[in-house]
Amino acid sequence: MDVPEAAQATAELPGPTATEAFDRLYAQVASGLVHQTYLLTGRHRLARESVERAFHLAWQQWPEVATDRDPAGWVRAAAYEYALSPWPRLSRRPRRSDRRNTDPAQAPLRDAVLSLPPAYRRTLLLYDGLGLDLPDTAAETEASTPAAANRLLYARAAVARALPDLEEPEHLRAQLEPLTLTGPEAILPEPRTVRSGSERRTRFWTRLTIGSVVLLTALTAFTLVTAPTHYARPTGPPHRVGGVPPRGGPQQLTAEDRKLHRRLQAVPANGPERLVPQLR
């Protein structure tokens, strides 16, 4: 077979399906990502939950993840975001650090890392723990490159104050890199379970959204049918009005006035001389 025929045969080979690619990424990344997230949070259960949620989100948006230049970095960023978000802090689960099955010799460095603010902790883990360069670290932490550099310097100085032996960045990196690969044993579900859980979550939110839209439409229609077409101002309870001036007009006639009035009406033309003048 010549070279063009071999290239054509290679191009016609079917690639991995979405399920196979997801399962392969899950097998390669999930276990180590749990150890990294555990170093980031100090809570093993939260680390495992964060990684599982990240892969749920990755399967929901798999076309975007599959075409990303770094699918593992996409999942890692999602896991870190969930682990450091305020929502897990509102749960009733214990917030203490979980140190079961960990090396006591690594405890001082782990405690020094956990004492840092979350943004500085994440920057130190990405740069010195995982070996990302500064622009990639800044992009993943959604910060500018100068801001990421300042966070890194602050984190290194804080760790050096707690552990003077790690003042040099090379010594810190040599101790931090193995820390991202160790931790409590990560017992994760099978990839098929993660995919089915993601699909169930998607169906649940889809049905909830459709139900909310239907309910809102029904309430709107009911309001349009039953709402009054005009505004009727309510009548207040009766009460006495004060401070009104007396009604104007002629005064009431007395008895003498009425008597004179009747007399004038009886003889209008033959009354006193002052009323009807006489010609002489």
Side-chain angles (χ1 to χ4, degrees):
M1 183 181 295
D2 53 7
V3 176
E5 293 179 355
Q8 183 178 2
T10 304
E12 293 177 354
L13 291 177
T17 63
T19 301
E20 294 172 349
F22 177 85
D23 294 352
R24 185 183 306 169
L25 178 65
Y26 185 83
Q28 294 174 353
V29 173
S31 180
L33 190 55
V34 171
H35 297 318
Q36 299 170 24
T37 314
Y38 173 69
L39 176 61
L40 195 66
T41 61
R43 298 164 58 186
H44 181 251
R45 185 173 182 177
L46 176 59
R48 187 174 65 250
E49 180 183 349
S50 301
V51 173
E52 190 172 347
R53 288 289 184 91
F55 275 100
H56 282 177
L57 187 62
W59 182 242
Q60 293 173 9
Q61 306 180 21
W62 183 248
E64 176 186 347
V65 178
T67 57
D68 193 88
R69 65 182 183 89
D70 184 13
W74 194 101
V75 179
R76 179 181 64 238
Y80 288 5
E81 286 291 339
Y82 180 82
L84 297 178
S85 66
W87 307 115
R89 304 174 195 171
L90 300 178
S91 64
R92 298 180 180 180
R93 299 170 186 171
R95 303 179 184 180
R96 300 185 303 272
S97 298
D98 185 0
R99 299 184 180 181
R100 56 181 178 178
N101 301 328
T102 57
D103 187 359
Q106 297 175 339
L109 179 56
R110 190 182 301 276
D111 293 341
V113 173
L114 290 175
S115 64
L116 297 172
Y120 299 83
R121 193 188 317 160
R122 184 177 181 180
T123 302
L124 181 67
L125 173 61
L126 291 174
Y127 190 84
D128 285 336
L130 302 182
L132 272 68
D133 58 9
L134 195 58
D136 288 342
T137 301
E140 187 161 328
T141 56
E142 299 181 351
S144 62
T145 302
N150 290 332
R151 290 176 181 177
L152 179 63
L153 294 177
Y154 176 88
R156 284 177 174 176
V159 173
R161 286 193 297 269
L163 302 172
D165 296 339
L166 303 180
E167 184 176 1
E168 295 296 330
E170 293 78 9
H171 297 166
L172 174 61
R173 189 176 296 110
Q175 295 293 327
L176 193 60
E177 288 178 356
L179 204 61
T180 61
L181 304 175
T182 60
E185 183 180 358
I187 303 177
L188 294 171
E190 296 293 329
R192 180 179 58 184
T193 305
V194 175
R195 285 188 278 105
S196 61
S198 175
E199 293 168 359
R200 286 195 303 270
R201 185 182 297 273
T202 302
R203 288 194 298 269
F204 169 77
W205 285 109
T206 302
R207 292 171 182 173
L208 182 62
T209 302
I210 295 175
S212 301
V213 172
V214 172
L215 179 61
L216 181 60
T217 304
L219 292 176
T220 303
F222 177 78
T223 303
L224 292 176
V225 171
T226 59
T229 58
H230 65 280
Y231 174 74
R233 184 175 182 179
T235 303
H239 60 279
R240 186 179 297 275
V241 178
V244 179
R247 184 175 59 181
Q251 300 295 326
Q252 293 184 357
L253 299 177
T254 63
E256 296 179 357
D257 294 335
R258 286 193 295 269
K259 182 178 180 181
L260 178 61
H261 182 67
R262 288 193 301 268
R263 182 179 178 185
L264 291 175
Q265 285 183 341
V267 286
N270 299 321
E273 291 78 0
R274 60 183 181 86
L275 294 178
V276 180
Q278 296 180 359
L279 298 178
R280 295 181 183 274

